[in-house]
Structures are given as structure tokens and as C-alpha cells.
């Protein structure tokens, strides 16, 4: 697979505003997704996920990447 990547230091207050123009011609954009905070409720984490989806709308195809923590993702999708 031939691929190009670009690593940037955060240059703007809104990382999505910084990445949007840089990724305009990309086939795929990878975003790191934070794990739930220790005492964070499922509803709060689901809200953060929905905000992430809103912030990445208009991007080329997006892959949200999360390390292998044991997270019950099905709970986030129950009301979406």
C-alpha cells in the first residue's frame, strides 16, 4: 500500500479547523479517539462521541482510532 502521512503540531485553537484544509484531498483521515474518563458516564462519553462526529463532518472518509481498552461501545450506539 502506497501512503503518505503528515504530522503537524497543533497550530490553532480548533484542531478540526487546522486539519480540515490539510485533509481535503485525502482518501482517509485517522483521528485518535480518547478513552472514557475514569468516572465519566456512558451518556457523557456518548455526547463527546457525537460532538466528534459533528466536528469531522465534511472530512473525507474518517477512521476513529482507539487503543484496545475494554469499552462497551454498543452502549454509545443505543440511542443514536
Amino acid at each position: 500500500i502506497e501512503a503518505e502521512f503528515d504530522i503537524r503540531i497543533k497550530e490553532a485553537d480548533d484542531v478540526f479547523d487546522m486539519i480540515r484544509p490539510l485533509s481535503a484531498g485525502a482518501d482517509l483521515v485517522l483521528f485518535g479517539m480518547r478513552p472514557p474518563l475514569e468516572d465519566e458516564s456512558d451518556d457523557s462519553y456518548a455526547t463527546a462521541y457525537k460532538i466528534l462526529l459533528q466536528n469531522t463532518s465534511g472530512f473525507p472518509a474518517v477512521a476513529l482510532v482507539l487503543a484496545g481498552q475494554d469499552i462497551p461501545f454498543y452502549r454509545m450506539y443505543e440511542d443514536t
Side-chain angles (χ1 to χ4, degrees):
I1 297 174
E2 186 176 326
E4 295 178 26
F5 62 92
D6 189 6
I7 299 173
R8 298 283 178 129
I9 304 296
K10 185 177 175 186
E11 301 166 347
D13 289 333
D14 186 342
V15 70
F16 300 101
D17 286 344
M18 183 184 84
I19 296 172
R20 189 171 282 108
L22 296 170
S23 65
D27 294 320
L28 178 66
V29 180
L30 302 173
F31 276 101
M33 186 175 168
R34 71 166 178 82
L37 304 174
E38 188 172 319
D39 295 329
E40 188 171 23
S41 70
D42 292 340
D43 287 342
S44 178
Y45 192 64
T47 298
Y49 174 74
K50 289 174 187 175
I51 291 169
L52 179 59
L53 291 179
Q54 290 170 355
N55 285 329
T56 56
S57 68
F59 277 79
V62 171
L64 301 175
V65 182
L66 179 66
Q69 292 93 340
D70 185 22
I71 299 172
F73 280 104
Y74 67 90
R75 294 165 93 186
M76 289 190 327
Y77 301 109
E78 288 176 344
D79 294 327
T80 30

